[in-house]
């Protein structure tokens, strides 16, 4: 196999790997994460507040357990550029707060996976966080 074909195969495999879901998304279709207000710059980072609602009737879902978070620049075509993000203790009902540390201006995807009462699968979704210059 030529060098070129080898790298083409590797690229195809990489794309397959990057686009396959990390967790089961079966339950995720019934829920949507959305921003609860605009992200705010704080002394320590960027405060991002997120709500989880049911797609069917837009009811907020409380008492979820955040299992995994990821912050990357996928929305601006840089899915491999990641930055730290940590969940913060709850301070408002049905609102989940995160402290993000984006490393450049632009659009970032905050992906959240959570355990929800009554759902066997993790629920995953993303919101877009726009960071001003
Ligand atoms: Cu970037």
């Amino acid at each position: 196999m030529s060098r070129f074909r080898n790298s083409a195969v590797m690229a195809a495999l990489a794309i397959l790997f990057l686009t396959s879901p990390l967790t089961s998304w079966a339950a995720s279709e019934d829920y949507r994460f959305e921003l609860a207000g605009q992200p705010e710059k704080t002394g320590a980072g960027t405060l991002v507040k997120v709500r989880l609602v049911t797609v069917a009737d837009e009811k907020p879902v409380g008492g979820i357990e955040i299992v995994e978070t990821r912050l990357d620049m996928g929305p601006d075509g840089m899915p491999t550029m990641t930055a730290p993000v940590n969940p913060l203790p709850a301070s408002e009902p049905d609102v989940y707060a995160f402290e993000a540390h984006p490393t450049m201006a632009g659009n970032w995807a905050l992906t959240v996976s959570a355990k929800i009462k009554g759902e066997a699968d993790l629920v995953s979704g993303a919101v877009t966080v726009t960071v001003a210059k």
Side-chain angles (χ1 to χ4, degrees):
M1 194 181 276
S2 73
R3 232 196 159 110
F4 170 75
R5 285 196 49 199
N6 242 327
S7 53
V9 168
M10 289 308 289
L13 284 175
I15 288 165
L16 263 180
F17 174 76
L18 287 172
T19 53
S20 51
L22 296 174
T23 54
S24 169
W25 290 72
S28 296
E29 292 163 18
D30 298 333
Y31 299 91
R32 185 175 64 236
F33 284 97
E34 52 187 39
L35 283 176
Q38 282 310 302
E40 296 163 39
K41 273 196 179 153
T42 64
T46 300
L47 175 65
V48 183
K49 291 178 178 181
V50 169
R51 202 176 272 127
L52 179 67
V53 299
T54 53
V55 169
D57 50 15
E58 308 219 332
K59 281 209 174 109
V61 180
I64 72 174
E65 184 194 329
I66 308 291
V67 175
E68 206 179 347
T69 54
R70 177 186 164 93
L71 186 66
D72 67 62
M73 276 198 96
D76 276 354
M78 291 176 264
T80 59
M81 178 183 275
T82 58
V85 58
N86 320 101
L88 294 172
S91 60
E92 292 170 61
D94 302 337
V95 172
Y96 308 100
F98 301 88
E99 188 178 272
H101 299 274
T103 47
M104 66 181 270
N107 296 303
W108 293 77
L110 169 60
T111 306
V112 180
S113 297
K115 246 179 221 164
I116 299 179
K117 268 180 225 141
E119 293 286 357
D121 295 329
L122 288 182
V123 167
S124 297
V127 295
T128 301
V129 177
T130 301
V131 177
K133 271 182 197 149

